[in-house]
Amino acid sequence: MKHKVLCWNCKTETEAFEYRCNICKKIQNIGEVNPYDLFSLKKNFFIDYDDLENKYFQLQNIFHPDKFINSENREKEISAFESSSINNAYNMLVNNVDRIKILLNLNGYNIGSNNNESFTDHLLLEEIMDLQNRCMSIENNSEKSKIKSEIKNKINKIESQINENFKKKKFSEIENLSVKLSYLEKINKNLN
Amino acid sequence: MNLVKIEEPNTSAKEQKCLGIDFGTTNSVCSIKIDEKVIFIEDSHKKTLIPSTVCFSTEVKVGNEIDLSKSLGNTIFSVKRNFTDNPDKQIIINSKNEGRSSVEIAKEIFSYLKKICNVFLNEDVSDCIVTVPAYYDERARSGIMRSAFMSGFNVRRLINEPTAAAFAYGLENKKRGKFLVYDLGGGTFDVSLLNLKDNLFKVIGTSGDSKLGGDDFDQLLLNHILSFYPDLEKNDLSYNDLIHLTKECKTIKEKFQSIDNFQLEFEIKGKKKKVEINTNIFEKIFDKIITKTINITDQLLKDCEVDINDVDGIILVGGSTKLKLIPKKIKEYFKKNIYSDLDPDLVVSYGAALHGYELLNGSNNLLLDVTPLSLGIETMGGLMEKIIPRNSNIPIVKEQTFTTNENGQTSIIIKIIQGERETSDKNTLLGEFILSDIEPKPAGIPRIKVRFSLDVDGMLFVSAVDESSGSEKNIVIKTANDLNIEEMRKIVESSIQNAKHDMDTRLLIESKIKASRLINEIENVRDQIESLCSKKDIESINKTTNMLNTELKKNNKEKIDNLVEILNEKTKDFAQKLIDKNFKNFVGKDLDVLKE
């Protein structure tokens, strides 16, 4: 997406500079961009974490406030703002549930538009309650690791289901699955 | 005629100097990178370890200038320990009962450090990086920063002590991989997990204990010695005796590095006793503290979801890790390579000097750090709404929208809290402010946007805006009074122990809030209910509402939830009718609540 941009400092309008003005070299605001595009990732549910991390480091290397300690205030402000936007975008992408939300939005799906959920909800609630009860009554480490691997399997299964459903564009299905996923991840985290 | 040498106007060729200052509980160290080398600043006694002590007598003396044999009673030790309680609280500094705040006392130390740096370097260097314990909260950080600024230093950055040490290992020692930095100083314990890559040093997570360090070892040793005097209480000893004995214990502890067995003769209040100290006794005395640090380290690994098998080594930092016992126990427990090649007393300042040089002169290296404790605000019912979770990368800006809970409410108190517990009264209140001039609207309609920005020094800025009226309040957590920031680690610890109880409390409070809101919404649209519903429906809604009101005064979550469900069911029809009547715009998002 190349378009003309105006530099806040030298006021020159040039063809698409990336982060720094071509003329005066001052740092520029990134502007509205979704997390996938920010890190130039393909818009799939499964992402390459190493790739994401490398791009994250590259961007922080450009925008991190440590790089602007002797710069003028406006550059410092841009750096602080964009460095934290990059952190936020990165955190959202590494979080499964947040990533699903981003992808659903990018697909034009309105989260919360799904109404026929009471039945699945009921079953889901029972399953989660059951798991939670079992987690509460864990007595030894072998029991714990057994439940952990069971939860891990469930999470893996849902992840691939979500991935499939994105291919088939079954978005309301994905929304239901993501509720379940968030519960399972919470239980998994509490087990630590 | 003299020839005037004209320098090229190339400012980047001239290197900017920046001191790395490790202001420690026991000792402070300053260093600086000049001509590709880091040099340590020495005082007039040729010492690099400057005791962090201040003596207020006829004149103010600091560090090795103090003759402890003469002025023990007027000397302030370990002032850094007070920063986590209240850096602005007055402390008695001498026998004349004069008071100074910890910030002012630390300022004397910084002033002295500045003086010896200028003498040693033969020039005035003001730019510096100051290191702080990683677990330090907002107030402690700002307190240290104020002390340094007041003494004339230009603090370019605060960095975390274990991060600085890891930076030195990554840069000078070319360490690569995942490393734990175990930093046990005189008064503080920090542990950080880092990923060291080429040109990239990233903190994955950090934890610690604000009140755990070498000083505690001395106290335990003192208790052991006093146990040989069964009819003597600690309180029976005079302040001078106590300081004197503590000093002696410190010496024994330090000597223990080279000698394994001690036969000591103590004389307390005229009574002589023989005290034997050997490795076994030593281990027994210190076991509790070391176990505590190991537990904190274990919990950090769990929080970061990193397996100890994926850790490449443990870096030891801080004077207390020079005790042979520490590397031994750590190695026994974690079964990892232990590194202490860079002097644990000097490595923090060393790393700060390296980082300071790079900050001011540019570099390809990047250092990414995190915030140690969660930050949030208190919401209705005393719950803590976490806005920035701990171990988030900094800098970070987060916004969250809140609403009113009473009809026509025009102001809102925003309490900023830090800690790990679910209910806010168990966490630390950092400050509060009032947002007024909210446009009067039904409960739940106003949108108050609260923005937390945590900068790269770990300093917090909070602002709140009422999006409809544009009313805005800003605060900076800097000098707020009576903050009770005690023992961060205790917060985290009790947070783990009480997780279950907290969760139940939280769920109950949440149910209650949901119920009160539903009642509120119904009151709000009572006119419509009366015009749209049958008499029977109105009666049944009223009856359930009354029952719910009674139940709200008790603590039965199930009953409350049940009644809310019933009430929701009963008002469903009404909500539908309301939509039909095109009232949607009038009640806005209240409808969603009714439908829930």
Side-chain angles (χ1 to χ4, degrees):
Chain A
M1 255 203 325
K2 309 262 164 183
H3 54 278
K4 288 224 167 188
V5 259
L6 183 75
C7 170
W8 57 266
N9 180 51
C10 65
K11 311 284 181 218
T12 324
E13 198 181 45
T14 56
E15 291 285 327
F17 44 67
E18 197 149 60
Y19 313 130
R20 281 182 184 275
C21 171
N22 291 327
I23 313 293
C24 68
K25 305 292 175 204
K26 295 274 181 191
I27 197 78
Q28 307 288 323
N29 275 114
I30 299 176
E32 285 284 312
V33 58
N34 73 69
Y36 275 89
D37 286 342
L38 178 66
F39 297 107
S40 338
L41 298 176
K42 286 206 183 106
K43 294 186 185 66
N44 296 328
F45 173 65
F46 285 128
I47 53 171
D48 179 343
Y49 288 99
D50 291 338
D51 185 29
L52 167 63
E53 200 175 50
N54 282 331
K55 301 229 169 86
Y56 166 70
F57 294 148
Q58 282 168 22
L59 281 176
Q60 284 296 11
N61 223 343
I62 297 169
F63 284 98
H64 195 274
D66 279 359
K67 307 288 171 187
F68 296 89
I69 199 149
N70 286 325
S71 306
E72 60 171 294
N73 277 344
R74 177 71 190 267
E75 279 197 290
K76 277 188 179 157
E77 280 165 22
I78 293 174
S79 146
F81 180 81
E82 297 300 355
S83 181
S84 51
S85 316
I86 295 162
N87 278 333
N88 277 327
Y90 174 80
N91 290 340
M92 285 170 88
L93 283 177
V94 292
N95 178 305
N96 272 328
V97 176
D98 284 343
R99 196 167 69 252
I100 293 168
K101 276 188 198 152
I102 296 170
L103 264 189
L104 286 175
N105 269 326
L106 288 173
N107 276 292
Y109 175 80
N110 198 353
I111 295 163
S113 63
N114 167 355
N115 280 321
N116 289 327
E117 53 192 340
S118 51
F119 178 64
T120 47
D121 256 357
H122 190 66
L123 280 183
L124 172 69
L125 208 63
E126 249 170 43
E127 192 185 335
I128 299 294
M129 295 278 262
D130 179 50
L131 255 180
Q132 221 144 23
N133 282 340
R134 282 173 56 204
C135 288
M136 303 266 247
S137 54
I138 289 177
E139 272 166 7
N140 53 46
N141 272 337
S142 76
E143 219 174 293
K144 190 172 174 180
S145 56
K146 200 182 141 212
I147 289 194
K148 277 194 98 162
S149 76
E150 197 181 312
I151 292 173
K152 193 78 208 137
N153 283 338
K154 278 179 198 273
I155 289 177
N156 288 343
K157 202 176 136 207
I158 293 179
E159 283 177 344
S160 51
Q161 278 176 323
I162 287 172
N163 190 43
E164 283 307 306
N165 280 319
F166 266 116
K167 284 183 192 153
K168 293 179 194 152
K169 301 203 176 297
K170 286 180 163 174
F171 299 129
S172 67
E173 197 86 352
I174 294 170
E175 196 184 349
N176 285 340
L177 285 168
S178 86
V179 174
K180 191 168 170 183
L181 183 62
S182 72
Y183 276 120
L184 287 173
E185 286 188 335
K186 233 175 250 170
I187 294 178
N188 192 35
K189 202 157 185 196
N190 287 341
L191 267 184
N192 275 331
Chain B
M1 197 173 103
N2 287 329
L3 281 174
V4 178
K5 193 180 162 202
I6 298 169
E7 273 186 5
E8 280 198 32
N10 185 358
T11 48
S12 65
K14 191 174 182 295
E15 60 176 21
Q16 292 186 52
K17 294 191 177 104
C18 183
L19 285 158
I21 303 176
D22 172 11
F23 168 62
T25 307
T26 318
N27 295 306
S28 295
V29 178
C30 302
S31 62
I32 192 163
K33 186 177 173 183
I34 297 173
D35 298 331
E36 298 300 304
K37 258 172 62 193
V38 174
I39 48 176
F40 288 91
I41 312 295
E42 291 171 3
D43 65 7
S44 60
H45 305 261
K46 302 258 173 265
K47 293 273 188 349
T48 49
L49 292 184
I50 316 295
S52 303
T53 47
V54 190
C55 172
F56 293 92
S57 48
T58 41
E59 55 177 336
V60 179
K61 282 186 177 174
V62 176
N64 292 314
E65 312 294 329
I66 305 170
D67 181 355
L68 282 181
S69 63
K70 284 187 192 147
S71 41
L72 207 52
N74 288 337
T75 303
I76 310 281
F77 294 89
S78 305
V79 64
K80 191 185 181 185
R81 283 206 141 186
N82 305 332
F83 276 76
T84 44
D85 295 337
N86 183 353
D88 295 304
K89 199 176 127 193
Q90 296 276 313
I91 297 164
I92 308 284
I93 54 163
N94 54 23
S95 42
K96 282 178 246 159
N97 277 346
E98 287 176 312
R100 289 270 198 295
S101 73
S102 298
V103 170
E104 289 165 326
I105 297 167
K107 183 215 136 199
E108 299 296 343
I109 299 174
F110 278 108
S111 298
Y112 176 75
L113 294 176
K114 187 151 197 305
K115 200 175 90 192
I116 61 167
C117 287
N118 290 352
V119 170
F120 186 80
L121 297 169
N122 205 13
E123 72 173 303
D124 188 353
V125 180
S126 307
D127 282 327
C128 69
I129 285 197
V130 177
T131 62
V132 288
Y135 69 82
Y136 254 23
D137 61 41
E138 299 305 312
R139 264 187 99 202
R141 277 168 204 271
S142 80
I144 297 282
M145 213 171 196
R146 276 183 285 142
S147 296
F149 268 118
M150 279 156 64
S151 67
F153 275 122
N154 183 16
V155 184
R156 304 304 296 261
R157 185 71 88 235
L158 290 182
I159 73 168
N160 294 325
E161 286 159 8
T163 311
F167 193 70
Y169 270 90
L171 222 55
E172 294 299 293
N173 218 299
K174 305 280 176 253
K175 288 270 179 295
R176 296 292 177 266
K178 283 199 180 82
F179 287 88
L180 276 168
V181 178
Y182 177 102
D183 181 356
L184 190 62
T188 60
F189 172 64
D190 276 341
V191 56
S192 289
L193 181 65
L194 286 102
N195 198 353
L196 308 180
K197 296 183 168 191
D198 289 333
N199 302 121
L200 182 89
F201 309 99
K202 186 181 183 296
V203 182
I204 301 167
T206 193
S207 190
D209 188 326
S210 58
K211 304 264 171 175
L212 192 65
D215 290 359
D216 300 297
F217 286 125
D218 304 339
Q219 286 307 316
L220 288 173
L221 203 52
L222 178 61
N223 290 345
H224 175 72
I225 287 158
L226 289 178
S227 71
F228 286 82
Y229 293 83
D231 39 326
L232 198 68
E233 292 280 321
K234 220 172 176 178
N235 298 341
D236 299 338
L237 294 169
S238 72
Y239 179 70
N240 268 358
D241 277 350
L242 214 53
I243 291 188
H244 184 74
L245 278 168
T246 311
K247 284 259 127 199
E248 210 157 330
C249 289
K250 201 181 217 73
T251 316
I252 297 167
K253 183 184 76 182
E254 280 156 11
K255 274 196 190 149
F256 201 73
Q257 310 306 324
S258 45
I259 312 166
D260 281 344
N261 210 316
F262 273 97
Q263 285 286 349
L264 296 160
E265 202 173 70
F266 271 89
E267 189 180 328
I268 304 174
K269 294 209 155 182
K271 274 192 197 166
K272 282 188 186 173
K273 288 269 160 130
K274 277 210 170 83
V275 177
E276 194 197 347
I277 294 172
N278 56 39
T279 315
N280 277 342
I281 294 172
F282 223 69
E283 281 195 22
K284 223 172 111 193
I285 298 175
F286 295 162
D287 190 57
K288 213 176 125 198
I289 293 184
I290 299 175
T291 307
K292 214 169 165 188
T293 65
I294 287 175
N295 290 343
I296 293 171
T297 309
D298 259 341
Q299 188 60 43
L300 173 69
L301 287 167
K302 280 178 187 164
D303 286 349
C304 297
E305 293 175 45
V306 169
D307 194 290
I308 186 71
N309 293 319
D310 297 328
V311 173
D312 295 285
I314 302 175
I315 293 168
L316 297 187
V317 180
S320 298
T321 63
K322 286 186 165 176
L323 277 178
K324 283 186 291 184
L325 203 54
I326 306 254
K328 186 179 156 231
K329 287 266 178 190
I330 299 292
K331 202 178 162 74
E332 256 172 33
Y333 184 85
F334 290 107
K335 300 184 177 59
K336 287 279 142 187
N337 286 331
I338 305 284
Y339 299 97
S340 54
D341 342 11
L342 301 176
D343 188 337
D345 270 324
L346 306 179
V347 64
V348 169
S349 163
Y350 188 46
L354 291 172
H355 187 54
Y357 180 87
E358 297 202 342
L359 271 184
L360 295 193
N361 297 290
S363 96
N364 291 324
N365 296 321
L366 182 64
L367 189 60
L368 298 171
D369 215 330
V370 301
T371 178
L373 287 159
S374 303
L375 284 157
I377 75 170
E378 186 184 299
T379 57
M380 198 180 156
L383 291 181
M384 174 178 183
E385 178 82 31
K386 280 183 190 167
I387 295 188
I388 300 178
R390 73 175 145 162
N391 291 334
S392 295
N393 296 323
I394 50 172
I396 195 154
V397 178
K398 280 254 175 122
E399 288 178 342
Q400 196 130 333
T401 307
F402 294 89
T403 189
T404 50
N405 52 50
E406 298 284 339
N407 291 328
Q409 189 177 344
T410 56
S411 64
I412 203 169
I413 294 179
I414 297 181
K415 286 186 180 172
I416 300 150
I417 39 191
Q418 189 166 36
E420 304 309 324
R421 299 285 298 274
E422 298 284 345
T423 40
S424 68
D425 60 334
K426 308 274 170 49
N427 291 317
T428 301
L429 177 68
L430 288 178
E432 57 186 323
F433 62 112
I434 296 168
L435 187 80
S436 46
D437 307 326
I438 296 170
E439 282 183 11
K441 284 188 181 160
I445 301 291
R447 296 173 58 79
I448 318 293
K449 199 157 82 185
V450 177
R451 177 189 293 144
F452 275 56
S453 44
L454 198 58
D455 72 12
V456 82
D457 290 315
M459 306 287 279
L460 178 69
F461 301 82
V462 183
S463 62
V465 189
D466 174 3
E467 290 202 306
S468 49
S469 70
S471 168
E472 185 165 350
K473 279 269 157 73
N474 281 296
I475 59 160
V476 183
I477 308 287
K478 276 215 168 117
T479 51
N481 291 320
D482 68 48
L483 298 178
N484 180 19
I485 303 171
E486 264 196 32
E487 294 165 82
M488 293 275 147
R489 188 59 215 172
K490 215 164 88 191
I491 298 176
V492 181
E493 257 172 22
S494 55
S495 166
I496 296 161
Q497 282 158 9
N498 292 301
K500 167 85 176 69
H501 176 73
D502 269 4
M503 234 20 238
D504 291 345
T505 318
R506 181 174 185 129
L507 289 174
L508 174 67
I509 297 175
E510 254 166 16
S511 291
K512 281 189 173 179
I513 289 174
K514 216 171 172 184
S516 337
R517 283 195 53 158
L518 182 59
I519 294 171
N520 210 344
E521 302 306 340
I522 289 169
E523 280 315 312
N524 226 5
V525 290
R526 177 151 298 282
D527 291 349
Q528 280 91 338
I529 292 179
E530 268 158 29
S531 71
L532 285 171
C533 300
S534 71
K535 211 175 169 189
K536 203 180 127 208
D537 282 348
I538 297 171
E539 244 173 46
S540 125
I541 288 173
N542 285 348
K543 203 178 142 203
T544 323
T545 312
N546 288 339
M547 278 164 72
L548 187 54
N549 264 324
T550 321
E551 215 45 63
L552 271 178
K553 288 174 193 118
K554 301 170 194 162
N555 287 329
N556 190 329
K557 182 181 173 307
E558 259 171 47
K559 276 192 182 164
I560 293 173
D561 286 347
N562 271 336
L563 283 168
V564 166
E565 206 170 298
I566 294 167
L567 198 52
N568 267 326
E569 200 55 48
K570 286 188 173 162
T571 47
K572 233 178 195 169
D573 262 7
F574 161 70
Q576 195 52 48
K577 280 177 192 159
L578 203 57
I579 292 170
D580 294 345
K581 282 215 113 190
N582 222 356
F583 272 114
K584 195 177 178 201
N585 291 337
F586 178 72
V587 266
K589 71 176 212 179
D590 294 10
L591 267 183
D592 296 332
V593 178
L594 287 175
K595 271 202 294 183
E596 249 174 27

